[in-house]
Amino acid sequence: VKAPIRPGLSTPPPPVQSLLPSFPLPSFSTVTQGLTGDRDTFTPPAEGGMQSSVFLRTPKSMESVDPQFTIRRKMEQMREELELMDQLREIIESRLKVVLSDDLGASLMDGVVLCHLVNHLRPRSVGSIHIPSPAVPKLSMAKCRRNVENFLDACRKLGVPEEKLCLPHHILEEKGLVKISITVQALVDEATTKQALFT
């Protein structure tokens, strides 16, 4: 039996739920699946089948460089360079039977020692070497450069690869003993290999 409608009252209002727009709400399982599937992102379902990603992780702070690690790396690099320079000195002194000065770069900058070394490994590789004289104990830069270029040309002819060749200014300006050491070691390796093949 319907309750009588009192005079002066309108039709009873519809339920509150019927006034709200009908949007599909994600189920609890869908939400938890999105959270557990990827710890970094949460991807709730959106209308039209599209998905949007919301990053929940805070931006990672910049990692500070460990000064102790940097110092250790530099010390290791310095030790490696010293070993290469000692190796360079040993190669030259043992083969040419000479004693180089403490300033290794100054001993090599005019190219004389290096040209003698390549001629020792392969005779007549460098046909002409400019050598200081008692009257002129120091070569001009032009003659030093010529010696250095002749040395590098001889290294190329003996098979030293380009990537292991130092540049002229490394020798002339005493700024690349490590690179010179790599070149000389490659030169010795090539000369020794070729000598073993022909003997």
Side-chain angles (χ1 to χ4, degrees):
V1 179
K2 293 184 180 180
I5 300 174
R6 296 180 183 179
L9 294 178
S10 59
T11 307
V16 178
Q17 292 181 351
S18 63
L19 297 176
L20 296 176
S22 57
F23 292 111
L25 296 176
S27 65
F28 179 75
S29 61
T30 305
V31 173
T32 54
Q33 187 177 20
L35 285 172
T36 57
D38 187 350
R39 292 181 297 175
D40 296 339
T41 60
F42 166 56
T43 310
E47 288 186 339
M50 297 181 65
Q51 293 183 343
S52 60
S53 297
V54 180
F55 288 92
L56 300 178
R57 175 180 289 181
T58 56
K60 190 176 182 181
S61 59
M62 295 288 291
E63 293 183 358
S64 59
V65 178
D66 182 8
Q68 293 296 327
F69 174 79
T70 305
I71 293 173
R72 285 198 303 271
R73 184 68 192 97
K74 286 183 178 179
M75 290 180 66
E76 289 175 4
Q77 186 176 358
M78 288 177 61
R79 189 181 70 250
E80 291 171 1
E81 291 177 356
L82 288 173
E83 288 176 357
L84 284 173
M85 287 187 281
D86 288 342
Q87 186 178 2
L88 173 62
R89 180 185 292 275
E90 172 66 22
I91 289 173
I92 295 173
E93 291 184 345
S94 63
R95 281 169 169 75
L96 297 183
K97 309 300 182 191
V98 297
V99 178
L100 300 175
S101 66
D102 293 337
D103 190 348
L104 186 57
S107 301
L108 304 179
M109 68 168 292
D110 60 5
V112 175
V113 173
L114 294 174
C115 286
H116 282 307
L117 176 64
V118 73
N119 276 347
H120 173 79
L121 295 170
R122 181 62 62 85
R124 296 181 298 280
S125 294
V126 178
S128 175
I129 304 174
H130 296 281
I131 300 174
S133 64
V136 185
K138 188 174 182 179
L139 294 178
S140 66
M141 183 54 67
K143 290 182 179 180
C144 291
R145 179 173 290 276
R146 205 164 297 129
N147 282 342
V148 169
E149 290 175 350
N150 288 338
F151 164 73
L152 294 175
D153 286 342
C155 289
R156 288 188 184 92
K157 290 176 182 176
L158 287 175
V160 176
E162 285 291 330
E163 63 270 14
K164 292 188 177 180
L165 278 177
C166 62
L167 298 175
H169 76 269
H170 292 143
I171 303 173
L172 296 169
E173 299 176 14
E174 306 176 46
K175 292 183 178 179
L177 283 176
V178 173
K179 294 185 179 298
I180 298 171
S181 178
I182 293 172
T183 300
V184 169
Q185 184 60 58
L187 171 65
V188 172
D189 292 343
E190 290 293 333
T192 303
T193 301
K194 285 182 172 57
Q195 188 175 8
L197 291 175
F198 289 109
T199 56

